[in-house]
């Protein structure tokens, strides 16, 4: 057996097998896959094999799309038929709101080129008469997908992998990982069957692998322990049942009736498909418990849990309602197996936190659907450095080290329950909250704050009157909260608003090597002492990896602020770069200050007057003037008894300061600001209004306009890129050229709705030219606004485009960058 390989894939389920196949296909010659038992003996063997396209995420839709296309090619390549039944996939709607959801999804699907059709209840009935359509509003139909045999598709990928030179070894369990500075030393134990159990033998080997990928399914907690990291992938019970043949279905098919598509009654929380004359029912019911929170027992092989029919009674009854012929049919078989979940339901795919050349592919709940695309895009990341799509939304580091087993288990149960809920874009999930609260949380709550969770932190989304129900206010159109966000946005434009931005990630980078390091790591000029800069760290492909606001506190000390949601993701990248460069540049200290400093953003025409009431200074009259405190500068000031690191920037594009303060003085500062602001019309403002306002200023946001699929030049950030210096990713950025351009659009949308930032963009002649990445409402222009990427020839100011919303095209025009106050007059105003 080989003991030195380029890449070792651990786990022979659908995911690991696809990764091994695609690494070989991408050109790596020395790839090995180890499986502790038999291929597919994890969750893969008992999956129902459905390939649901539907997913509200851009990255995941691409992954699913690749899989479906790839599986169709496998038979020709390997000679193995994976039983892909292209029966289509019919997603039904019982309510108008569900149709709204499908229309938003459809617009996202168009951005990825995924085909779909709309069907009326009458068309459904005519085509598949056994379906009761009485209470349906309609359906979205994907003609190109269906179901596949999970074990067969895995075996076909394994054969394809072997044909491409991959070594697959079964009955070898990975029991230890050690990084020697350039490769992983992986301790593996030979396993054997004894009395129906899988037991370790005395035989052990150590494999040296340059790269390791873990795809260990339900064993992710053991993998986490072996690696000394956290992986919030914990399985939840998932059942499906198989009925006896349904005589009406059998007769219908014998008479030439077309096979039913995979039917999804989302409002009833289940899927159904045909199986040998009967039906498979797969519910996503309430109260399915998490399992193996502290690790999957070694004795658990291709095992199942007992069926819990009571738990799925409601879904069973609703299947009978939808397919009345199933009422008298008995049960033939049942499956209740562990299905791996993560707190947000998306897999954990990408580099492991803190570790080199260690790649995680864990937490797959739709692993059969995702396997093909996962292998394809992960191989791109491993072989080329980056994938062609931005994989950040799936990155394992979207959960920080604050995450615990209890949090992961309860959130995973919630994610399971939410598979078929209405996926409102303004949804905030409630499990495990509140968890991370800044001191002013109670004060904000008393003022009516409705919170969202960012990286575990509670952050006000908007403020509403007492008794307001955020859940009932959610919508695919303008929800009940919209009017409050509008008032808040107006307050910032007309008087003043106070935004809690405590969730921001904050770092201090200092020491003799700090300046040279940051100069190399980021693309903009470093600021002078006391000044700030907006800058970007790039990927090896020259795309945007992190956005930083950098404050230079002293010659060799920098305060870095980045997006709160991406704290672990950003810090991991920076720390690894520091490790790599310290020998070259000199000592570099990195200190995480995130939970030491709270942040309030005070903005609006009256912001200076409010601060003037609180500032203590030898010359308070001039302390906040442009002369002493110009735009884009930072100063340590005293607001009564609170020491504040004040930064003159405002993400809303209005006169303003970010007030970074000791978190233990937050309530003191909040009270002083709110009291001083009263006569100046100060309003507490949430993240939704802020998101609208920043679009009026064309301020790009990380995770939407900014990501690993666009360079800063494509994002239109040329003024923050210093081409006179060398920085990481520069040449790749230049070589990439301009594939698409970031634009701001003013949109004449439908009555009572704004885009969400997922919609497809079309040219006036009806060709698809791009997609929105942000959307909202502009209080200044009194119409919808959005930002997005279009082909460069459509990016000229004044170009007329169309936005697809609710299955219709609406007029949009490319606005100049920063359509509100393009000369930054209000932000620079003196006083
Ligand atoms: C009842 C049910 C129905 C489902 N239906 C669908 C469906 O219709 N469509 C869909 O897309 N998904 C479905 N799923 C989900 C799907 O089964 C999983 O997402 C998918 O199988 C995950 O594949 P995987 O390769 O990540 O994990 P697994 O298939 O669990 O594979 C992990 C492998 O790693 C091995 N391993 C673990 N640790 C080690 C180690 N230390 N050393 C060596 N080997 C190790 C294990 O033995 C195992 O074989 C269903 C799941 C359930 C429970």
């Amino acid at each position: 057996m080989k003991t030195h390989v380029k890449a070792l894939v651990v786990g022979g389920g659908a995911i690991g097998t696809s990764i091994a196949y695609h690494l070989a296909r991408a050109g790596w010659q020395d790839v090995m896959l180890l499986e502790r038992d038999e291929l597919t003996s994890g969750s893969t063997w008992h999956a129902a094999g459905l390939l649901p396209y539907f997913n509200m995420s851009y990255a995941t839709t691409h992954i699913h799309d690749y899989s479906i296309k790839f599986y169709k090619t496998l038979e020709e390549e390997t000679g193995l038929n994976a039983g892909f039944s292209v029966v289509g996939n019919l997603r039904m709607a019982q309510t108008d709101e569900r149709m709204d959801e499908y229309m938003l999804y459809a617009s996202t699907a168009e951005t990825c080129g995924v085909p779909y059709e709309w069907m009326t209840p009458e068309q459904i009935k005519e085509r598949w008469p056994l379906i009761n359509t009485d209470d349906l509003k309609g359906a979205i139909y994907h003609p190109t997908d269906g179901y596949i045999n999970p074990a067969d598709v895995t075996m076909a990928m394994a054969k394809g992998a072997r044909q491409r030179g991959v070594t697959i070894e079964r009955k070898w369990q990975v029991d230890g990982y050690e990084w020697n500075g350039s490769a992983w030393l992986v301790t593996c134990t030979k396993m054997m069957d004894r009395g129906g159990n899988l037991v370790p033998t005395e035989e052990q080997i150590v494999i040296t692998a340059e790269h390791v990928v873990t795809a260990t399914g339900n064993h992710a907690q053991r993998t986490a322990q072996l690696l000394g990291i956290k992986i919030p992938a914990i399985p939840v019970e998932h059942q499906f049942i198989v009925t006896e043949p349904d005589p009406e279905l059998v007769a219908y098919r014998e008479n030439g009736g077309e096979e039913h598509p995979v039917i999804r009654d989302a409002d009833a929380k289940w899927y159904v498909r045909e199986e040998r004359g009967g039906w498979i029912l797969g519910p996503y019911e309430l109260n399915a418990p998490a399992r193996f929170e502290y690790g999957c027992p070694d004795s658990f092989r291709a095992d199942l849990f007992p069926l819990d029919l009571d738990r799925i009674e409601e879904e069973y009854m609703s299947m009978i309602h939808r397919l009345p012929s199933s009422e008298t049919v008995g049960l033939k078989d049942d499956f209740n197996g562990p299905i791996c979940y993560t707190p947000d339901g998306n897999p954990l795919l990408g580099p492991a936190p803190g570790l080199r050349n260690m790649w995680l592919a864990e937490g797959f709940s739709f692993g059969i659907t995702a396997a093909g695309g996962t292998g394809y895009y992960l191989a791109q990341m491993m072989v080329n450095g980056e994938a062609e799509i931005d994989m950040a939304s799936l990155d394992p580091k979207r959960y920080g080290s604050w995450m615990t087993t209890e949090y992961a288990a309860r959130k995973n149960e919630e994610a399971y329950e939410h598979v078929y809920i209405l996926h409102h874009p303004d949804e905030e999930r409630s499990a495990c909250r509140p968890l991370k609260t800044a001191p002013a949380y109670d004060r904000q709550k008393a003022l009516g704050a409705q919170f969202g969770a960012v990286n575990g932190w509670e952050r006000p989304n908007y403020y509403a009157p007492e008794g307001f129900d955020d859940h009932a206010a959610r919508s695919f159109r303008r929800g009940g909260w919209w009017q409050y966000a509008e008032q808040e946005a107006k307050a910032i434009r007309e008087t003043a608003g106070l935004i809690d931005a405590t969730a921001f990630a904050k770092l201090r980078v200092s020491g003799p090597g700090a300046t040279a390091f940051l100069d190399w790591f980021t693309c903009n000029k470093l600021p002078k002492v006391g000044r700030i800069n907006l800058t970007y760290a790039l990927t090896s492909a020259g795309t945007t990896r992190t956005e930083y606001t950098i404050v230079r506190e002293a010659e060799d000390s920098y305060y870095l602020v980045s997006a709160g949601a991406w704290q672990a993701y950003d810090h991991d990248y920076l720390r690894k770069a520091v490790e790599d460069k310290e020998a070259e540049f000199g000592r570099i200290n990195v200190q995480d200050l995130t939970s030491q400093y709270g942040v309030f953003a005070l903005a609006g025409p009256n912001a200076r007057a409010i601060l003037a009431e609180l500032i203590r200074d030898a010359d308070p009259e001039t302390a906040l003037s442009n002369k002493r405190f110009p735009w884009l500068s930072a100063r340590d000031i005293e607001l009564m008894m609170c020491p504040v690191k004040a930064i003159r920037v405002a993400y809303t594009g209005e006169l303003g300061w970010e007030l970074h303060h000791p978190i233990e003085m937050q309530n003191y500062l909040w009270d002083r600001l709110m009291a001083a602001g009263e006569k100046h019309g100060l309003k507490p403002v949430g993240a939704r209004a802020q998101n609208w306002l920043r679009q009026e200023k064309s301020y790009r946001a990380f995770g939407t306009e900014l990501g690993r699929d666009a360079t800063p030049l494509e994002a239109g950030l040329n003024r923050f890129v210093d081409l006179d210096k060398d920085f990481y990713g520069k040449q790749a950025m230049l070589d990439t050229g301009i594939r698409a351009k970031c634009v701001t659009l003013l949109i004449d949308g439908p009555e009572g709705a704004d885009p969400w930032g997922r919609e497809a963009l079309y040219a006036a002649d009806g060709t698809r030219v791009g997609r929105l990445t942000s959307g909202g409402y502009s209080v200044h222009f009194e119409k919808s606004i959005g930002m997005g990427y279009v082909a460069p020839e459509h990016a000229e100011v004044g170009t007329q485009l169309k936005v697809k919303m609710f299955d219709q095209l609406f007029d949009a025009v490319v606005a100049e960058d920063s359509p509100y106050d393009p000369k930054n007059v209000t932000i620079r105003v003196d006083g």
Side-chain angles (χ1 to χ4, degrees):
M1 187 161 150
K2 273 190 193 169
T3 52
H4 282 74
V5 293
K6 173 90 175 163
L8 180 70
V9 181
V10 185
I15 296 295
T17 310
S18 171
I19 292 167
Y21 168 95
H22 282 95
L23 282 173
R25 203 169 100 168
W28 277 10
Q29 289 180 348
D30 213 358
V31 178
M32 181 189 261
L33 183 150
L34 291 190
E35 163 56 47
R36 68 191 288 273
D37 197 351
E38 296 294 338
L39 294 182
T40 78
S41 64
S43 276
T44 294
W45 79 270
H46 53 57
L50 311 181
L51 303 172
Y53 251 131
F54 183 88
N55 196 290
M56 304 296 272
S57 134
Y58 183 70
T60 312
T61 302
H62 271 288
I63 287 175
H64 290 186
D65 187 44
Y66 175 88
S67 296
I68 286 167
K69 289 173 181 151
F70 166 62
Y71 295 158
K72 287 176 184 160
T73 67
L74 262 181
E75 185 172 356
E76 196 182 319
E77 181 178 342
T78 64
L80 295 182
N81 180 340
F84 194 165
S85 300
V86 186
V87 294
N89 169 356
L90 184 72
R91 209 167 256 269
M92 302 178 295
Q94 293 185 22
T95 64
D96 290 330
E97 227 193 344
R98 184 66 76 175
M99 285 304 286
D100 278 359
E101 180 191 36
Y102 293 166
M103 286 190 275
L104 177 59
Y105 158 71
S107 198
T108 309
E110 283 182 29
T111 65
C112 305
V114 168
Y116 67 87
E117 297 164 15
W118 297 111
M119 290 189 80
T120 64
E122 295 71 33
Q123 288 168 325
I124 298 170
K125 190 81 194 165
E126 198 179 320
R127 199 153 158 192
W128 299 289
L130 295 186
I131 301 178
N132 171 12
T133 56
D134 289 355
D135 54 352
L136 293 184
K137 297 284 181 185
I140 183 167
Y141 176 61
H142 287 294
T144 52
D145 83 36
Y147 60 89
I148 201 160
N149 185 319
D152 290 351
V153 76
T154 308
M155 290 307 180
M157 289 191 287
K159 184 170 179 195
R162 285 194 185 98
Q163 284 172 352
R164 291 170 183 274
V166 174
T167 311
I168 297 182
E169 298 284 351
R170 290 163 298 141
K171 303 279 193 239
W172 280 98
Q173 174 170 284
V174 169
D175 280 333
Y177 299 95
E178 193 189 327
W179 177 245
N180 73 359
S182 59
W184 286 97
L185 306 180
V186 183
T187 305
C188 312
T189 308
K190 180 79 185 160
M191 307 295 282
M192 64 175 286
D193 281 294
R194 191 186 296 145
N197 285 325
L198 186 68
V199 293
T201 66
E202 299 283 298
E203 188 183 347
Q204 280 203 328
I205 56 166
V206 174
I207 296 177
T208 305
E210 211 176 295
H211 291 262
V212 172
V213 185
T214 77
T216 55
N218 301 316
H219 296 261
Q221 290 313 305
R222 184 170 187 273
T223 301
Q225 275 173 3
L226 293 177
L227 292 172
I229 60 172
K230 290 184 174 180
I231 304 180
I234 293 176
V236 176
E237 281 189 24
H238 177 45
Q239 339 188 51
F240 69 84
I241 55 175
V242 188
T243 73
E244 296 285 1
D246 173 348
E248 284 192 49
L249 173 61
V250 173
Y252 158 79
R253 292 296 303 281
E254 279 172 1
N255 290 330
E258 180 189 358
E259 180 170 353
H260 287 80
V262 177
I263 307 169
R264 288 190 164 78
D265 195 339
D267 301 293
K269 302 195 293 297
W270 54 247
Y271 62 79
V272 163
R273 74 164 167 90
E274 287 187 26
E275 173 73 6
R276 293 169 206 273
W279 305 100
I280 284 182
L281 165 70
Y284 279 82
E285 74 281 17
L286 299 181
N287 301 321
R291 300 297 296 250
F292 311 143
E293 293 178 25
Y294 293 93
C296 182
D298 280 351
S299 56
F300 194 91
R301 299 177 72 184
D303 298 317
L304 292 169
F305 309 117
L307 175 73
D308 186 344
L309 207 47
D310 288 347
R311 213 167 68 213
I312 60 171
E313 187 184 345
E314 200 182 306
E315 289 76 22
Y316 198 172
M317 298 312 290
S318 69
M319 172 181 78
I320 292 171
H321 166 74
R322 187 64 58 217
L323 293 163
S325 64
S326 67
E327 182 166 10
T328 54
V329 181
L331 279 193
K332 188 168 86 178
D333 213 346
D334 60 79
F335 295 79
N336 183 6
I339 186 166
C340 226
Y341 262 84
T342 63
D344 62 7
N346 280 328
L348 303 160
L349 185 61
L355 305 175
R356 302 299 179 131
N357 292 9
M358 177 60 69
W359 305 84
L360 305 184
E362 304 286 0
F364 282 85
S365 54
F366 290 96
I368 311 306
T369 321
T374 295
Y376 178 68
Y377 290 112
L378 185 66
Q380 284 187 344
M381 275 201 274
M382 293 174 65
V383 175
N384 308 332
E386 279 301 322
E388 66 204 51
I389 56 169
D390 185 356
M391 303 287 278
S393 59
L394 309 180
D395 193 278
K397 296 173 293 298
R398 65 187 188 275
Y399 296 101
S401 54
W402 54 270
M403 200 271 319
T404 56
T405 310
E406 175 70 9
Y407 178 88
R410 303 292 82 78
K411 281 306 254 188
N412 292 5
E413 288 167 348
E414 179 188 60
Y416 177 89
E417 277 183 16
H418 279 56
V419 166
Y420 279 125
I421 62 144
L422 283 161
H423 297 276
H424 287 119
D426 52 0
E427 181 199 11
E428 291 289 347
R429 297 189 179 180
S430 58
C432 307
R433 296 180 54 200
L435 180 61
K436 284 157 73 174
T437 55
Y441 171 82
D442 290 330
R443 282 162 164 76
Q444 292 161 353
K445 200 172 163 82
L447 290 170
Q450 299 288 332
F451 293 89
V454 184
N455 188 26
W457 287 97
E458 294 295 324
R459 179 182 69 174
N461 275 335
Y462 61 95
Y463 291 78
E466 207 182 324
F468 185 81
D469 179 357
D470 176 70
H471 199 280
R474 294 170 195 170
S475 174
F476 295 90
R477 296 166 188 256
R478 288 178 184 164
W481 52 267
W482 189 92
Q483 54 178 315
Y484 306 116
E486 185 195 24
Q487 289 162 14
E488 291 167 20
K490 280 187 173 157
I492 289 203
R493 289 278 177 260
E494 290 161 13
T495 51
L498 188 60
I499 298 170
D500 185 345
T502 297
F504 272 160
K506 303 138 215 144
L507 283 182
R508 176 165 294 128
V509 178
S510 60
T515 299
F517 168 74
L518 287 174
D519 200 37
W520 164 84
F521 186 60
T522 61
C523 66
N524 199 355
K525 276 191 188 62
L526 289 178
K528 296 195 173 72
V529 175
R531 305 290 296 191
I532 72 157
N533 254 352
L534 194 62
T535 188
Y536 302 89
L538 307 193
T539 64
S540 59
T543 55
T544 308
R545 183 59 173 65
T546 304
E547 179 181 57
Y548 288 112
T549 301
I550 296 194
V551 179
R552 191 164 190 169
E553 303 170 309
E555 275 308 321
D556 60 359
S557 181
Y558 299 84
Y559 181 71
L560 272 60
V561 184
S562 63
W566 301 92
Q567 183 188 3
Y569 175 83
D570 290 347
H571 288 193
D572 188 72
Y573 193 62
L574 180 129
R575 281 181 194 277
K576 283 177 178 165
V578 164
E579 271 172 31
D580 288 344
K581 287 291 183 181
E582 215 168 2
E584 183 180 339
F585 293 134
R587 192 166 48 78
I588 304 160
N589 308 315
V590 180
Q591 196 184 356
D592 187 347
L593 302 173
T594 302
S595 48
Q596 281 183 38
Y597 283 105
V599 183
F600 294 142
L602 176 70
N606 299 345
R608 183 178 274 124
I610 295 167
L611 280 192
E613 304 221 3
L614 302 177
I615 197 156
R616 296 296 179 262
D617 186 88
D619 183 5
E621 294 298 309
T622 61
L624 298 164
S625 65
N626 279 3
K627 186 148 186 266
R628 286 187 61 201
F629 207 148
W631 184 44
L632 301 180
S633 69
R635 280 186 55 202
D636 288 337
I637 60 170
E638 294 181 357
L639 294 179
M640 298 188 72
M641 290 193 292
C642 186
V644 170
K645 184 186 291 297
I647 304 177
R648 190 165 163 196
V649 284
Y651 195 45
T652 49
E654 213 61 57
L655 171 70
W657 282 263
E658 271 179 16
L659 307 170
H660 294 238
H661 52 272
I663 200 141
E664 62 277 16
M665 296 192 194
Q666 179 164 86
N667 280 340
Y668 172 84
L669 183 61
W670 175 268
D671 291 343
R672 302 285 98 63
L673 286 165
M674 291 300 284
E678 203 176 335
K679 65 173 185 278
H680 299 288
L682 179 67
K683 226 177 157 3
V685 168
R688 297 215 172 129
Q690 186 186 32
N691 181 42
W692 292 352
L693 293 169
R694 63 107 189 156
Q695 292 179 62
E696 292 182 347
K697 289 294 292 175
S698 301
Y699 291 159
R700 284 75 171 153
F702 195 79
T704 54
E705 290 72 56
L706 301 177
R708 277 151 52 193
D709 50 1
T711 69
L713 302 182
E714 291 173 313
L717 296 167
N718 307 46
R719 65 190 183 282
F720 302 108
V721 180
D722 177 11
L723 289 174
D724 292 335
K725 71 169 195 178
D726 276 332
F727 54 86
Y728 185 67
K730 178 180 172 184
Q731 195 53 50
M733 176 191 77
L734 294 172
D735 292 346
T736 299
I738 305 293
R739 300 162 297 181
K741 266 222 107 94
C742 184
V743 292
T744 304
L745 294 162
L746 293 174
I747 300 161
D748 291 310
E751 192 64 28
D754 302 305
W756 292 99
R758 300 172 181 181
E759 294 79 0
L761 293 172
Y762 288 83
D765 67 1
T767 46
R768 186 158 53 80
V769 294
R771 66 181 179 115
L772 286 185
T773 46
S774 294
Y777 178 73
S778 162
V779 286
H780 180 74
F781 295 101
E782 297 183 333
K783 57 166 66 176
S784 295
I785 192 165
M787 295 177 72
Y789 280 85
V790 293
E793 61 274 23
H794 298 280
E796 285 299 310
V797 172
T799 307
Q800 294 290 329
L801 298 176
K802 305 267 182 197
V803 182
K804 186 88 168 255
M805 291 171 69
F806 302 103
D807 203 36
Q808 287 176 41
L809 292 173
F810 292 91
D811 287 339
V813 62
V814 176
E816 67 178 313
D817 216 50
S818 184
Y820 170 75
D821 188 19
K823 302 233 164 350
N824 292 324
V825 174
T826 66
I827 215 168
R828 290 179 208 250
V829 78
D830 203 359

